[in-house]
Amino acid sequence: MDLIRIFIDTAFSKIADRFFAVSDCEESSDTQIKENGMIIDEPLFVDECRCHHPELSDDQIRMIFGLFRDEWSFPPEDLSNNQTKGLPDIFNVIFRFSQEVLRIKNKEPFIIFRHLLRWRELTLDIGEDTLVAAYLAYLNRNLPLSNTIVNENIERKLHLDGIDFCGWPTVLHNDNPHLNYIFKNNRMCDLHSHLYASTDNFTISWVSLMNKIDRRKKNFIRLGNVHDEKRAEHIANSIYSYVILACSIRINLWRLVEGRELCPIINLQQIQSSSEFYATRLQTEIIKEKAACDPLDYIPADISSPMRVIAGERKFLYAVYRYILGHDDTYAAKMFYQYLLAKNKFRSFMVQVDSNRGFSNFKRYQDLKLTFMMPEYRALVGNLAVWEAIKMNHTDIFETRIAPIDGLKSIKSFRNSCTKIDSEQYKEFGTEWSLLVHFLKHPENYKEFETPGPTEFLRDKALREKIHRQSIVLRQIVKMSEWEKAENSYLSRIKGIDAASSEIGCRPEIFAQAFRFLKASGYYATFHVGEDFYDIADGLRAIDEAITFLGLEAGDRLGHALALGIDPDDFYDERHNYIALPAQWMLDNVVWLYFSSRKYNTPIEPSTEDFLLRTFRDLVRRIGYETIDGDGLIGKIEIIDYYQSMLLRGDAPKTLDDKRTDNQWMVNSEWQFYEKQQSEELREIRIWNKQAQTLHYDYMSNGKIMTNGRKIKSFVVPMGYRKLIRHMQDQMMKFVSKMQLGIECCPSSNYKIGYCKRYDRHPIFRFMPVRGYDMQYPLAVTVNTDDLGIFSTSLPNEYSLLALALLKITDSEGNHIYSTQEVYDWIERIIKNGEKFAFKRLSSATLIS
């Protein structure tokens, strides 16, 4: 199965650029193979496969192609009908794979559970519907095939050959009966998702492009800039040309299967020479097709469900597969192959299919999630996200995040959006959906300051002021929601706050006052933290600062918190004990480690302690905290003073302007009340430790220190450093457990963004072991989707991938470590955690009057 997966992935996705480059030149010498339906030849496949699978030798790659030529290119054997081999065809490999991994139950396609991981690895690249449509078409290959698939009285109907093209979710369920029973009989909760990335954004974007192809160059320029600014123009022209070609092929193939006259055929070379001209010409043909059809797609799907936006594309794929199975039409097969190649090439820029790590890589895909959707499609995204979560993915409690409401003028549009979603009447299912507002993190906008300065030099000043304004709006929303009737209050759907986006260069301290202020107003809190970092120590410090500075308490949650559980040995072995990060961050990390080890009673090896102290002494001088006075003497800084200055960072800077207005005087007064953390230790520091106060001021407003602190420096950490990190993880997990904070785990997101190379190595198994007695203080973890559309996943899929990973784990002798019952009991415990940690609706009893 792995070999056939490698072939399909290469032949239907990776090979796109090379295939089109060859197609634009003279035909290959192996013309006979192409005429026989195999379309690609061995040299083409070998050249591409060796780029993406360096673990394979050329002989092994040729062997894979030989399997395709001699076996996979023929129809799957059907022993019940004593079917003999027909003509070779590249689509037979798709039919063969889909028949192996899919099954129909209750008229719905399911993945065979044992093939779940193989299915996921392949469909990330080529999409699930490509395989599902092939599977259904092959099952129905013996049904009569008329010249017009859409005919007589069923022109507008969704069903074709008895298939409901909205009958399965965008990410298929699997056939594991134990898991399906658990999913249907427990209150499933998705507590960490982002509304406008929680559906099949790629397919919606694709359908939008297929129905509106002209005047799209600016969208593709944005795609190019997001992925590679230096090659933006080249990427934009290339991908736009592919999509125009796909649009031309789609409309012609649809007319072909309906038995209608085709529009003029164009090839990639023509499009590249004048993309806007051919896009405009195609748009004219599309308008003719859409004249009597659903305005969302000229391929008819006459239903009211939000799923109708993707039904037409599913129907198209199925219809073309059925046509290919019923006709010996090599030209149609090659056109369809080009369509799938172009579609999957575009997909690789919209769905995170690469193996690169880190939030910045993920952000390239996240930033494009709505770029290609016309307004009528964009308006459906939130509706479809809630619809699919609740109606198709067993989600009983759905908490999803939206960007902050910047002003009260935005309230009307917010209400309208919620009304459209609520029009689907989810109450009858006993389900609930709610919103969290997530502040957006932004890396610090550094300027080259040479001297200390007043307010204008304040670290993160612009972001702090923006958060202040947004917090005032959120505080007023609490009051407004109290005036509305509870059953009609869309404002009361906002239950909590969060801060999301890149952690690199944006510390929890920036959000401290806002979180304390809004939590006192009745909001629950969660915080993206410990997900992306240069060093585990920095991720651990961010988690500690988030808990302390933001005032998190029992019932609040941490988003991801990977730094608590990833394996330090794997992390530092991969880096050969080298770490590189800004000097300011390293200084803060070593000081935090030194004192937190004492706080948590964690031993430090002498060599590691020496490394921490030497690094501290070196960096306070390099950055500029220690200065030379008039007599040439250095004003030495003690490490305890620096540590206490770090504790003050949760306070709001004195230099931040209030900018109150008369009608906001009372709210701003409350805002000022939360500018300082309340603790006896901090009060003592503020009164007596002048050195700590000076260091804090320098950190916040000294331009030269900011400039020096952001310079990257590399360090070689001793072996004892990783031991210290592991001890700190263990102690902090105990602390988080005692604090009764929830941990929002998002396995596929963490696999693609974080440092989890395999599902069975995810920190969730360290946070909450399968066997409860393996850990004294297990953490209350939940499983969530994060960005369903970007990672192509769903809530049942996340649980299923974890269950499969556990069931596959074996010891050194090949024996399975966990029994099936242990695994399913563990899954149920996590599901119950979701219900416990779901944020409840804001209550007047909790609000400050």
Side-chain angles (χ1 to χ4, degrees):
M1 292 299 293
D2 286 328
L3 297 181
I4 196 172
R5 178 177 56 80
I6 290 172
F7 178 84
I8 295 173
D9 177 45
T10 303
F12 284 85
S13 176
K14 301 294 193 300
I15 207 171
D17 288 333
R18 200 179 299 266
F19 174 84
F20 285 119
V22 171
S23 298
D24 286 345
C25 303
E26 293 185 8
E27 288 294 320
S28 166
S29 59
D30 203 351
T31 307
Q32 183 178 0
I33 291 179
K34 294 187 177 183
E35 290 177 350
N36 286 340
M38 293 175 65
I39 298 179
I40 63 171
D41 56 23
E42 182 175 320
L44 186 64
F45 176 80
V46 172
D47 284 347
E48 190 62 36
C49 193
R50 61 163 62 113
C51 295
H52 298 282
H53 293 280
E55 75 279 7
L56 299 176
S57 68
D58 279 8
D59 288 335
Q60 290 172 317
I61 295 172
R62 290 189 179 92
M63 177 268 294
I64 293 173
F65 187 86
L67 280 171
F68 162 66
R69 180 190 61 230
D70 300 335
E71 182 178 342
W72 300 336
S73 63
F74 294 96
E77 293 181 358
D78 188 342
L79 300 179
S80 62
N81 294 328
N82 295 318
Q83 182 178 337
T84 58
K85 288 185 176 181
L87 292 174
D89 188 322
I90 195 169
F91 292 106
N92 281 326
V93 70
I94 293 284
F95 298 138
R96 181 181 294 270
F97 181 83
S98 62
Q99 294 297 310
E100 289 288 334
V101 301
L102 297 178
R103 290 293 180 269
I104 285 284
K105 289 189 176 182
N106 299 322
K107 298 183 179 181
E108 180 180 338
F110 283 82
I111 309 164
I112 298 175
F113 179 66
R114 68 177 181 275
H115 295 311
L116 180 61
L117 192 56
R118 293 186 179 94
W119 171 267
R120 172 161 181 76
E121 289 174 347
L122 178 57
T123 56
L124 271 177
D125 284 336
I126 69 171
E128 293 201 356
D129 286 344
T130 300
L131 293 173
V132 175
Y135 172 73
L136 296 173
Y138 196 78
L139 282 183
N140 293 337
R141 64 192 181 280
N142 294 321
L143 293 178
L145 184 66
S146 61
N147 289 331
T148 53
I149 290 181
V150 182
N151 53 36
E152 297 178 357
N153 297 323
I154 59 171
E155 282 94 353
R156 298 292 186 84
K157 298 302 179 183
L158 176 68
H159 293 80
L160 174 63
D161 294 344
I163 296 172
D164 177 3
F165 293 96
C166 290
W168 65 88
T170 55
V171 176
L172 291 189
H173 300 154
N174 64 78
D175 68 348
N176 186 306
H178 304 283
L179 289 174
N180 288 326
Y181 177 84
I182 291 171
F183 298 155
K184 292 177 181 178
N185 290 277
N186 290 273
R187 282 179 65 80
M188 295 269 282
C189 308
D190 193 348
L191 307 183
H192 186 128
S193 70
H194 298 267
L195 182 61
Y196 291 102
S198 289
T199 187
D200 190 355
N201 294 68
F202 165 73
T203 300
I204 299 174
S205 298
W206 183 256
V207 173
S208 180
L209 282 166
M210 293 298 99
N211 286 269
K212 173 62 176 173
I213 192 63
D214 66 330
R215 301 179 184 179
R216 290 302 202 108
K217 185 64 176 291
K218 63 181 181 181
N219 299 137
F220 287 89
I221 290 292
R222 172 168 167 73
L223 178 146
N225 281 320
V226 166
H227 278 276
D228 189 344
E229 289 185 8
K230 293 184 177 180
R231 299 175 59 245
E233 188 73 25
H234 170 74
I235 293 173
N237 291 334
S238 174
I239 304 304
Y240 192 23
S241 297
Y242 287 165
V243 174
I244 294 171
L245 177 66
C247 185
S248 171
I249 293 172
R250 188 181 196 253
I251 198 169
N252 272 318
L253 285 178
W254 182 246
R255 290 179 176 181
L256 180 67
V257 299
E258 287 194 298
R260 294 190 283 126
E261 183 180 354
L262 307 187
C263 59
I265 305 297
I266 53 177
N267 60 42
L268 190 60
Q269 279 185 319
Q270 291 173 308
I271 294 169
Q272 289 172 338
S273 65
S274 184
S275 59
E276 292 289 357
F277 169 77
Y278 287 104
T280 302
R281 196 171 81 176
L282 273 173
Q283 191 62 41
T284 303
E285 299 296 330
I286 292 171
I287 291 172
K288 294 177 185 177
E289 293 288 319
K290 293 180 71 172
C293 292
D294 189 322
L296 293 176
D297 196 346
Y298 60 80
I299 298 178
D302 188 20
I303 57 171
S304 59
S305 161
M307 294 284 285
R308 78 182 194 275
V309 68
I310 63 176
E313 178 65 10
R314 289 176 169 182
K315 190 174 182 177
F316 166 75
L317 294 173
Y318 173 84
V320 177
Y321 279 128
R322 286 276 281 122
Y323 179 88
I324 290 172
L325 284 165
H327 296 80
D328 184 15
D329 190 337
T330 305
Y331 176 76
K334 184 172 182 179
M335 293 293 288
F336 188 45
Y337 177 72
Q338 290 182 351
Y339 174 82
L340 294 178
L341 274 188
K343 181 179 180 180
N344 291 330
K345 182 65 178 180
F346 177 66
R347 178 185 176 84
S348 69
F349 287 87
M350 298 291 292
V351 177
Q352 189 173 344
V353 301
D354 64 10
S355 57
N356 296 331
R357 306 293 182 197
F359 190 90
S360 295
N361 180 62
F362 156 77
K363 193 173 184 297
R364 293 187 295 153
Y365 302 91
Q366 191 267 347
D367 286 350
L368 295 170
K369 62 181 182 287
L370 301 176
T371 298
F372 294 92
M373 296 183 197
M374 299 302 290
E376 60 269 31
Y377 298 88
R378 192 174 300 184
L380 292 172
V381 173
N383 199 343
L384 183 54
V386 178
W387 168 279
E388 192 170 5
I390 291 176
K391 283 203 167 186
M392 308 195 83
N393 287 327
H394 311 297
T395 308
D396 295 284
I397 299 175
F398 185 52
E399 288 184 5
T400 186
R401 287 145 168 86
I402 59 172
I405 301 171
D406 288 319
L408 294 178
K409 292 181 180 179
S410 305
I411 297 296
K412 183 177 179 180
S413 62
F414 168 76
R415 276 200 183 95
N416 291 338
S417 298
C418 289
T419 303
K420 290 178 183 177
I421 296 174
D422 265 357
S423 66
E424 303 301 332
Q425 298 297 319
Y426 298 117
K427 293 180 181 178
E428 62 182 281
F429 297 95
T431 59
E432 55 184 279
W433 70 277
S434 58
L435 296 166
L436 276 65
V437 174
H438 62 82
F439 299 106
L440 297 177
K441 300 178 181 178
H442 294 289
E444 189 168 350
N445 184 19
Y446 287 103
K447 295 181 180 179
E448 297 293 339
F449 301 128
E450 296 299 333
T451 58
T455 305
E456 64 268 20
F457 290 169
L458 177 68
R459 187 186 292 264
D460 299 298
K461 179 177 183 287
L463 181 54
R464 288 175 185 270
E465 290 180 339
K466 185 176 183 180
I467 293 168
H468 176 205
R469 293 192 299 271
Q470 293 168 342
S471 298
I472 298 302
V473 174
L474 285 171
R475 176 66 179 87
Q476 291 172 321
I477 283 175
V478 171
K479 289 297 185 183
M480 293 173 66
S481 67
E482 286 293 285
W483 300 336
E484 298 181 345
K485 293 181 180 180
E487 62 270 19
N488 297 321
S489 175
Y490 295 118
L491 297 181
S492 65
R493 287 201 181 278
I494 303 177
K495 295 183 180 180
I497 51 174
D498 186 13
S501 198
S502 177
E503 289 184 71
I504 302 297
C506 192
R507 305 300 304 181
E509 64 203 41
I510 301 168
F511 305 89
Q513 185 177 7
F515 270 66
R516 295 195 294 264
F517 170 69
L518 291 172
K519 277 177 58 60
S521 301
Y523 288 100
Y524 293 92
T526 180
F527 193 80
H528 281 64
V529 67
E531 177 188 18
D532 194 16
F533 38 81
Y534 290 121
D535 181 31
I536 300 177
D538 191 65
L540 292 174
R541 179 168 66 90
I543 293 169
D544 185 53
E545 290 173 348
I547 295 171
T548 305
F549 295 163
L550 309 184
L552 301 186
E553 54 195 352
D556 290 330
R557 306 193 301 252
L558 298 173
H560 303 294
L562 295 179
L564 277 178
I566 66 170
D567 191 320
D569 289 328
D570 290 346
F571 185 87
Y572 293 108
D573 282 347
E574 188 177 85
R575 290 157 180 76
H576 306 288
N577 290 325
Y578 274 87
I579 57 174
L581 66 169
Q584 180 68 63
W585 291 26
M586 187 61 179
L587 172 60
D588 294 342
N589 289 349
V590 297
V591 173
W592 178 83
L593 278 172
Y594 185 79
F595 282 97
S596 293
S597 66
R598 283 150 175 75
K599 172 183 174 181
Y600 293 117
N601 195 26
T602 301
I604 306 180
E605 293 184 358
S607 61
T608 303
E609 183 174 11
D610 179 64
F611 168 78
L612 298 179
L613 293 175
R614 283 189 295 103
T615 303
F616 164 74
R617 185 56 55 200
D618 175 61
L619 291 179
V620 292
R621 294 172 181 171
R622 284 179 180 270
I623 296 173
Y625 288 106
E626 284 188 346
T627 57
I628 301 176
D629 61 22
D631 297 326
L633 301 175
I634 294 178
K636 188 173 183 180
I637 294 174
E638 298 297 334
I639 191 170
I640 181 62
D641 294 329
Y642 189 88
Y643 175 68
Q644 292 190 341
S645 77
M646 291 175 63
L647 298 180
L648 295 176
R649 294 179 188 175
D651 292 351
K654 289 285 189 182
T655 50
L656 183 60
D657 292 336
D658 187 10
K659 291 187 178 179
R660 76 181 68 185
T661 60
D662 290 339
N663 64 342
Q664 290 182 330
W665 185 88
M666 184 175 295
V667 177
N668 273 293
S669 295
E670 293 177 16
W671 170 262
Q672 287 181 329
F673 180 78
Y674 295 99
E675 68 182 8
K676 292 182 180 179
Q677 306 167 82
Q678 301 300 316
S679 80
E680 187 62 35
E681 179 185 8
L682 291 174
R683 281 192 288 271
E684 291 289 325
I685 295 172
R686 295 186 194 109
I687 294 171
W688 300 110
N689 195 333
K690 301 301 181 184
Q691 180 72 283
Q693 295 172 41
T694 300
L695 288 168
H696 180 230
Y697 178 81
D698 285 344
Y699 168 81
M700 292 303 305
S701 60
N702 188 314
K704 187 174 182 180
I705 283 177
M706 292 183 197
T707 300
N708 292 336
R710 68 186 175 97
K711 293 178 179 177
I712 305 298
K713 184 171 172 53
S714 63
F715 303 87
V716 181
V717 298
M719 291 300 293
Y721 186 85
R722 64 176 67 184
K723 295 179 183 178
L724 174 60
I725 293 294
R726 185 176 291 278
H727 287 311
M728 289 296 300
Q729 288 177 322
D730 291 338
Q731 294 304 314
M732 286 188 66
M733 278 193 279
K734 290 181 182 179
F735 174 68
V736 171
S737 178
K738 290 179 179 179
M739 286 281 295
Q740 300 178 62
L741 299 173
I743 304 292
E744 302 163 355
C745 292
C746 307
S748 291
S749 170
N750 302 150
Y751 177 80
K752 299 300 290 186
I753 296 178
Y755 302 94
C756 308
K757 294 185 176 180
R758 293 169 29 171
Y759 283 97
D760 60 3
R761 300 285 288 175
H762 193 281
I764 193 172
F765 303 123
R766 190 174 169 194
F767 294 159
M768 184 176 167
V770 176
R771 297 187 177 112
Y773 53 79
D774 287 348
M775 185 178 183
Q776 188 177 3
Y777 297 99
L779 299 180
V781 300
T782 65
V783 168
N784 313 276
T785 56
D786 201 356
D787 291 89
L788 183 155
I790 295 171
F791 302 118
S792 189
T793 190
S794 68
L795 193 57
N797 192 55
E798 293 297 282
Y799 280 109
S800 299
L801 287 167
L802 291 175
L804 182 61
L806 286 173
L807 291 170
K808 285 179 171 289
I809 297 176
T810 57
D811 59 22
S812 58
E813 297 179 356
N815 300 312
H816 291 285
I817 293 178
Y818 302 115
S819 69
T820 55
Q821 193 58 51
E822 284 179 314
V823 172
Y824 299 139
D825 287 346
W826 181 78
I827 293 289
E828 282 197 271
R829 294 206 309 272
I830 295 179
I831 291 175
K832 290 176 181 177
N833 280 340
E835 189 173 359
K836 292 176 187 176
F837 278 85
F839 292 156
K840 308 301 184 291
R841 191 173 298 279
L842 292 172
S843 169
S844 59
T846 65
L847 302 179
I848 293 179
S849 60

